[in-house]
Each structure stands twice: as structure tokens, then as C-alpha cells.
Amino acid sequence: KYLPKASCALFAVALTAPPASWERTKWQLGPSVSSDAVVSAFAGDWDEIDFEDVDGDVAAKLTDGDVGGVLRCAHSLRCLRSLRLTGCINIT
């Protein structure tokens, strides 16, 4: 666990596909094997994701597609209870 949780999830998204491709496929694209391996470092600990630990410049550039990819890679439908978009000013 060398990266904060939100950064780990962003890395997992980057290993799978660009956010635009997630949107084009209507979010049917699942995480890659590599992404699942990265996310498993926080096994069972995905009840909360807070982007506060992400660098402010990076957080400010994140799009809906980026955050959607994070939610998909973290299997958020199964376990997420709290999402904090700290610094994510580009989300609509």
C-alpha cells in the first residue's frame, strides 16, 4: 500500500483503458487483470474513496470519465458507502 487509495484506483483505471473508451462502451468494459491486481492491495477496504490524497492539480483535471473508471475498477456497486470528490472541480 504505497499509494493512497484514490491514487491506486486511478492507476488501476490507467492500466485498463482510457476513460473515453469506458464512456463509449456504456461502462460495460470491466477492469483488466492488472487493474484487479492493483485494486486488490486494498482488498475489502473500498467502502470509502476520498480524492483528498490526490495532488490538487491532478484532481482538478479529472473528468466524469476518470471518476467513473475509478468507481468501476473499485467495484463500487458492491461496497462503496462514501465518495468524496475533494478538489475534483471538473466533475459535472
Side-chain angles (χ1 to χ4, degrees):
K1 296 184 182 181
Y2 296 103
L3 290 173
K5 196 182 317 180
S7 296
C8 178
L10 286 169
F11 181 57
V13 169
L15 289 173
T16 297
S21 67
W22 291 77
E23 293 170 6
R24 276 194 310 274
T25 62
K26 306 281 192 243
W27 302 99
Q28 298 303 310
L29 181 67
S32 69
V33 173
S34 299
S35 295
D36 279 338
V38 170
V39 169
S40 71
F42 287 95
D45 191 26
W46 289 100
D47 57 333
E48 178 180 347
I49 298 174
D50 187 348
F51 283 83
E52 179 180 41
D53 295 325
V54 175
D55 180 82
D57 292 336
V58 173
K61 294 176 184 174
L62 294 176
T63 64
D64 294 349
D66 297 321
V67 173
V70 165
L71 296 175
R72 186 75 167 96
C73 281
H75 306 288
S76 63
L77 289 177
R78 287 187 278 179
C79 56
L80 187 68
R81 294 177 189 210
S82 174
L83 175 65
R84 294 189 180 121
L85 299 171
T86 308
C88 299
I89 60 174
N90 214 17
I91 305 301
T92 57

